Amino acid sequence: MERTLILIKPDGIQRQMVGEIISRFEQKGLKIVAMKFLQMSSELAEKHYAIHKGKGFYDELVSFITSGPVLAMVLAGRMAVKQTRNLMGATRPEEATPGSIRGDHAMFTGQNLVHGSDSDENAEIEIANFFEPSEIVNYDLATGSWIG
Ligand code: IDP
Ligand code: MG
């Protein structure tokens, strides 16, 4: 079962959309295995967004993600990276399909509500930036899971 790191960014917290966003992932069938509400330090933000260092929007990105609290979570499920990215929608809200989180609720690329890992490799690196192994809970959902 794959895992991914999801962040509800400061705009999602400020707009009180935590419940709305988590609901979409839960309704799809992803399992919450870790969760933390925190204020990211510049150090953590630079580590998390290291892949974007040198890009024109990097400073703005680090500044925005540290502008207020975020909710970090690890979601698990079959093809978790792909499934969560589909639910999030395209990076640019004007390209995000209606029905997706960004397509339904975001207007600006810099304020697109959620972060989700983009590969299994990056997911494991990003998860380790936010969570100790002991903070990730291994359990089964009472509803079980479907094979297919
Ligand atoms: P993703 O969040 O969909 O994976 P990335 O390309 O990894 O998108 O970019 C990380 C974040 O950086 C985006 O979610 C967005 O908030 C911001 N970003 C990406 N491209 C731009 C841009 O051209 N201008 C401003 N912000 C950007
Ligand atoms: Mg990305």
Side-chain angles (χ1 to χ4, degrees), residues 91-102:
T91 305
R92 299 179 186 285
E94 67 274 20
E95 290 166 10
T97 314
S100 66
I101 295 166
R102 289 164 168 172

Side-chain angles (χ1 to χ4, degrees), residues 104-115:
D104 283 352
H105 295 293
M107 285 291 282
F108 306 102
T109 303
Q111 293 173 35
N112 58 7
L113 294 167
V114 275
H115 166 84

Side-chain angles (χ1 to χ4, degrees), residues 81-99:
V81 165
K82 191 164 189 194
Q83 310 253 35
T84 51
R85 289 200 60 101
N86 282 341
L87 292 173
M88 287 161 52
T91 305
R92 299 179 186 285
E94 67 274 20
E95 290 166 10
T97 314

Side-chain angles (χ1 to χ4, degrees), residues 25-128:
F25 293 123
E26 281 194 308
Q27 286 164 9
K28 178 71 170 169
L30 289 137
K31 178 167 70 170
I32 299 166
V33 295
M35 193 176 277
K36 192 180 283 184
F37 187 66
L38 74 153
Q39 167 68 53
M40 285 173 68
S41 63
S42 305
E43 191 187 14
L44 177 57
E46 283 166 19
K47 213 192 260 186
H48 174 68
Y49 280 133
I51 205 165
H52 296 298
K53 199 169 168 70
K55 294 185 186 166
F57 58 88
Y58 175 77
D59 288 346
E60 189 188 322
L61 193 56
V62 170
S63 156
F64 181 66
I65 204 76
T66 57
S67 68
V70 302
L71 189 124
M73 57 191 148
V74 180
L75 298 182
R78 175 180 167 267
M79 299 181 77
V81 165
K82 191 164 189 194
Q83 310 253 35
T84 51
R85 289 200 60 101
N86 282 341
L87 292 173
M88 287 161 52
T91 305
R92 299 179 186 285
E94 67 274 20
E95 290 166 10
T97 314
S100 66
I101 295 166
R102 289 164 168 172
D104 283 352
H105 295 293
M107 285 291 282
F108 306 102
T109 303
Q111 293 173 35
N112 58 7
L113 294 167
V114 275
H115 166 84
S117 308
D118 64 5
S119 68
D120 290 345
E121 296 91 311
N122 286 338
E124 291 308 315
I125 293 167
E126 292 176 3
I127 289 168

